[in-house]
Every structure is written in C-alpha cells, then in structure tokens.
Amino acid sequence: MLTNVISPQPFEDHPDSRSRSRLRKTLRQKRRALTVEEQQIAADQLALNLLQHPDLYRARHVAIYLPNDGEVDPRVYAHIARKRGIRFYLPVLHPVHRGRLVFSHYTDDTVLTANRFGIPEPPFQKGLRRPPWALDAVLFPLVGFDECGGRLGMGGGFYDRTFAFTRIRPRMAPKLIGLAHECQKVSELPLEPWDIPLHSVVTDRKRYRVKARSSL
C-alpha cells in the first residue's frame, strides 16, 4: 500500500549535519524577529501571490498549516479562497503510523486541540480525513529554501514520510508548495536523500518555480 512507502530520515540513518542545524537556528531566529505588523503584511502579500498561483487555479482540496514559530501565515489566503469553493485541511499526527501525517477538514469553526508538540490540530475523525494522495495541493512551512528546490524544514521528516509515495507514483502527487518569508531564502541548500521535491516556493515577495539542478 502507498501508506507503507517510507523515506529515510535525517534522525535515523542520516543524521542532520551541524551546518544544517546551525542554519536552521539562524533562520528560525530571523523569522521570529519579525514584528506583528511585518507578519501581517507578509500574510497579506503571501495571499496575493497564492491567489495568482497557476497550480492553485483548479485546486479544490488544499492542505495548509497553522503558523507557529514565526512561520508565514497562510490563513488570509484560506479565508479568501474559501469563497472560491476550496476546502482546506490541516495536518494531524497519525496516531498509529508514527512520524506521518493525515489531513482533516478545517473551517473557522473546527475545534482544535494541541498535539504533543503544542501545535493545534483537528480531531482524528475518519469521516473528515482526506488521504495525502487525494489532495490537490499542499502548502507547508519552510525554515529555509533556495531556487533549485533545496529546502530546510524543522527536521522531523513528517512531510517527507507522508509524501514518500510520490517517488513511485509521481502522477498521484499533489502540488507540493513550500511557504516562507523572503528573508528565509539562501543561495544554496543541499538536497538530501530523504527530501521529497517541491513544485514551487511562494513567499511574501515572489513565486519560485523550482529549477532543475545542474548535474555538474
């Protein structure tokens, strides 16, 4: 089954490098340093960029996240896009398959409960869940990124595990779109064996279509 496809993770056989850990700390501090006003402006600009994103024109089932730790906020976009008939989903820690996510329907009235990381999430209810392969697009937070698809997350590998099936079933892959503040862009990040490729990155300033890396 597709849910049994697992991607190797940095905290298992491939420890995260010290340089990536240092960079993660630096970029997290940078986004946390943004003021409330700067965060609001970034959320508004992000919404405009997402509303014009070609990969989202026909999307009807889209996963987002609730911002934490200074992450750029996608909720302004979600509020507007709901008027287009888009249904949104939040990631929920899978209670059985450790280290993976499921996605539950999310509205303004959804009751949220903090998970073990202190992040609010909807209840794990069978009737309200949508499998990863049935999503049209997934908007997820980045700690850092480059223009060639290199990305840096929080290091838990949840999205990589959850979407590992896209390696063997690429046609079933939803559009994977990383979100970040423009200040989180770096010149280059190494691609690791466990990284699931992005289709694009969207910030408060720009939309980046991921470029293929040179083999040299």
Side-chain angles (χ1 to χ4, degrees):
M1 295 179 62
L2 291 177
T3 54
N4 291 329
V5 179
I6 299 176
S7 179
Q9 300 303 319
F11 50 83
E12 293 175 354
D13 298 328
H14 304 273
D16 210 3
S17 68
R18 289 185 178 180
S19 61
R20 283 171 69 94
S21 295
R22 286 195 298 268
L23 180 59
R24 180 180 291 111
K25 181 178 180 180
T26 297
L27 293 175
R28 289 178 66 190
Q29 289 174 339
K30 185 177 291 189
R31 71 187 185 188
R32 286 198 300 262
L34 296 172
T35 66
V36 173
E37 182 180 5
E38 288 171 332
Q39 284 282 7
Q40 185 59 59
I41 292 172
D44 292 342
Q45 292 299 318
L46 177 75
L48 291 175
N49 288 333
L50 289 172
L51 289 167
Q52 300 173 33
H53 199 300
D55 287 344
L56 296 172
Y57 281 160
R58 297 183 180 179
R60 286 297 174 263
H61 300 278
V62 178
I64 60 170
Y65 61 89
L66 298 180
N68 181 53
D69 193 56
E71 294 162 347
V72 67
D73 191 344
R75 290 176 296 182
V76 175
Y77 161 70
H79 177 74
I80 299 171
R82 280 198 182 101
K83 299 176 183 178
R84 297 180 173 181
I86 297 177
R87 288 169 64 89
F88 287 95
Y89 303 81
L90 286 179
V92 178
L93 299 180
H94 201 293
V96 177
H97 300 291
R98 186 174 178 82
R100 298 188 216 175
L101 303 170
V102 296
F103 296 88
S104 291
H105 186 223
Y106 169 62
T107 70
D108 290 335
D109 297 324
T110 301
V111 177
L112 304 174
T113 304
N115 63 24
R116 67 175 184 269
F117 298 112
I119 299 173
E121 62 180 29
F124 185 85
Q125 296 180 358
K126 185 175 182 180
L128 298 177
R129 299 202 314 265
R130 193 165 187 87
W133 54 265
L135 294 165
D136 297 316
V138 180
L139 312 181
F140 60 94
L142 303 176
V143 174
F145 72 96
D146 65 24
E147 291 190 39
C148 294
R151 62 183 174 85
L152 186 67
M154 292 294 284
F158 289 93
Y159 284 95
D160 289 309
R161 283 195 190 89
T162 302
F163 293 98
F165 71 87
T166 62
R167 294 186 183 279
I168 60 172
R169 296 289 190 273
R171 292 185 179 181
M172 296 181 69
K175 294 298 183 181
L176 302 179
I177 303 171
L179 306 185
H181 295 282
E182 185 69 21
C183 65
Q184 295 169 239
K185 179 184 174 185
V186 298
S187 59
E188 184 176 4
L189 281 168
L191 289 174
E192 301 290 358
W194 53 81
D195 286 340
I196 301 300
L198 299 174
H199 293 94
S200 63
V201 175
V202 180
T203 74
D204 51 312
R205 301 280 183 85
K206 294 180 63 175
R207 299 195 306 268
Y208 296 90
R209 178 66 63 179
V210 169
K211 303 174 183 178
R213 284 186 188 269
S214 170
S215 58
L216 297 179

